[in-house]
Amino acid sequence: MARLRRRLWAWMLAGFLLVAALTLYQAERTGRSESAADSCPESALECPGEEKPLPLPVPVEPSVSPSASGSPSPSATSASPSPAPPSGSSAPPAASPACSATSPGACGFPDARSTGPRIALERHDTGNMSIKTDGTVIKGWDIRGSLDVYADNVTIIDSRITSTNWWGVNLRPGFKGLRVLHTTITAVPGKGPDNGGVNYAVSNMGDSSVEVGWCDVSVFGNALSMGQGDLHDNYVHDIVAFRNLGGEWQHTDAVISGGGNKGRLTVRHNTLLNSVPIDKGASAALGLFADTGVVSNVVVDNNWLAGGAYALYGGGPGATGIQVTDNVFSTQYHPKSGLYGAVAAWNAGGAGNVWRGNRMSDGRPVVPEPSP
């Protein structure tokens, strides 16, 4: 009996010790948990002992590449037309829904938004200024006057010229390398010699090529005048009719070449408008005339042409190496583009002459009439 009581007391003691141990263990766990909670404020992204959540995906901002020049393009703050093919390409420009016979810009051709200076200008009252230092660069000038170039490799860029002379920029014989880029060239009708008979926005009297690109040209009667050069991405418009001192109306052309050239003339991706009435002297939007010799070695590619007696004079008899491709003849001023038609004086049989892909602004193909 005594043995049974001792065994019972042993079991009771063991159970008491077990209960005590379990109580102490639970209290220790509770203390640790409360301590961890106290050390983790509500603003924490994670707490000790918690599993770290996966990060949320971070949105990626689209990258913006600055222009090569570091300045915005002319159309950076306004709606721009469909992009035109780069200079040197004969592919027709893409047309936007707003493209029409009176909107060359919406049809991918140059206009006021894509030509002229891209920077702020500083006024310079130069008068008729002669440039005689090779390599001269004129940039950011708002010129009241004209530039007569007696030097090689002169560059006029991001400027404006308002002339009261016969020319805006004139390259003299014996000099070369003139470049006129991103410049507005205009004149004041009724001022200057010959009763305001301003003739040439850019004239090439030299024997080498002249580059004229991305220029906004107006007023001058024969705006871009040269037998050899690279004329591209220009906007020629609002030519003003004028009489000379003898009272005669002077002929007007957006681009004119008198023939006899020794080098190549390239006229590519320009807007050439001649709104002057025929009875006040309008000749052509682009006139290739054999005034001083045979016309040869000319590329007329991917231009917008409108106005004149004929929009294009093609060189006449004897003209060779004339390539006329992928041009648009607009009906902006006349149903036939020019008053009498789109093209005259085309020598279809001339060696190297090519006529291809030319069309009216409504899409109709333009086929030259046989020369008489």
Side-chain angles (χ1 to χ4, degrees):
M1 187 70 176
R3 184 182 299 173
L4 180 61
R5 283 198 299 268
R6 286 195 298 271
R7 186 177 296 173
L8 180 61
W9 278 108
W11 288 348
M12 290 176 63
L13 180 60
F16 176 80
L17 293 174
L18 178 61
V19 170
L22 289 174
T23 301
L24 291 173
Y25 175 75
Q26 182 65 31
E28 184 182 3
R29 286 199 60 191
T30 303
R32 282 204 303 265
S33 176
E34 289 175 354
S35 176
D38 291 342
S39 64
C40 183
E42 291 182 1
S43 61
L45 297 179
E46 58 178 298
C47 293
E50 288 186 353
E51 190 173 318
K52 186 176 181 179
L54 292 175
L56 295 175
V58 178
V60 178
E61 294 291 336
S63 61
V64 178
S65 298
S67 63
S69 64
S71 60
S73 65
S75 59
T77 58
S78 61
S80 60
S82 300
S87 179
S89 168
S90 61
S96 76
C99 176
S100 71
T102 59
S103 57
C107 299
F109 290 90
D111 65 5
R113 294 174 296 177
S114 58
T115 56
R118 302 162 294 178
I119 61 176
L121 306 181
E122 179 183 353
R123 179 157 174 168
H124 290 258
D125 293 309
T126 64
N128 181 23
M129 177 174 136
S130 295
I131 300 175
K132 297 183 178 181
T133 302
D134 291 351
T136 296
V137 176
I138 290 178
K139 183 175 182 178
W141 286 26
D142 185 357
I143 295 170
R144 300 301 194 273
S146 59
L147 301 178
D148 216 4
V149 180
Y150 295 87
D152 292 341
N153 303 318
V154 171
T155 298
I156 299 146
I157 186 168
D158 287 315
S159 296
R160 177 183 174 90
I161 299 170
T162 304
S163 174
T164 56
N165 207 335
W166 281 342
W167 59 82
V169 183
N170 184 27
L171 180 65
R172 289 291 180 169
F175 300 96
K176 62 186 178 180
L178 174 65
R179 304 173 73 209
V180 185
L181 309 174
H182 295 288
T183 293
T184 294
I185 311 171
T186 190
V188 180
K191 301 290 184 180
D194 201 16
N195 200 37
V198 286
N199 284 326
Y200 312 114
V202 181
S203 171
N204 181 6
M205 299 175 67
D207 296 326
S208 69
S209 181
V210 164
E211 182 183 4
V212 183
W214 303 285
C215 289
D216 183 326
V217 180
S218 61
V219 177
F220 290 92
N222 289 310
L224 302 178
S225 174
M226 61 194 68
Q228 49 270 327
D230 181 11
L231 311 179
H232 63 87
D233 303 289
N234 300 292
Y235 176 45
V236 183
H237 60 102
D238 294 310
I239 294 172
V240 174
F242 66 92
R243 297 178 187 267
N244 61 19
L245 290 177
E248 301 170 324
W249 290 108
Q250 298 298 284
H251 289 175
T252 61
D253 304 88
V255 171
I256 184 170
S257 174
N261 52 296
K262 297 179 180 179
R264 175 183 290 264
L265 174 63
T266 300
V267 185
R268 176 170 282 127
H269 196 244
N270 303 277
T271 296
L272 305 177
L273 307 178
N274 188 350
S275 59
V276 173
I278 300 303
D279 61 356
K280 293 184 178 180
S283 291
L286 173 52
L288 305 178
F289 301 115
D291 294 337
T292 58
V294 174
V295 180
S296 61
N297 203 13
V298 179
V299 172
V300 180
D301 177 62
N302 192 26
N303 299 281
W304 180 277
L305 309 172
Y310 289 89
L312 171 67
Y313 280 85
T320 59
I322 315 298
Q323 301 176 39
V324 182
T325 56
D326 296 316
N327 298 282
V328 177
F329 290 82
S330 169
T331 58
Q332 179 171 352
Y333 306 120
H334 308 291
K336 297 179 181 180
S337 192
L339 178 63
Y340 304 120
V343 56
W346 174 249
N347 181 17
N353 290 351
V354 175
W355 184 276
R356 183 182 65 244
N358 302 294
R359 63 197 186 280
M360 301 293 288
S361 50
D362 62 8
R364 290 176 291 138
V366 175
V367 179
E369 296 181 1
S371 299

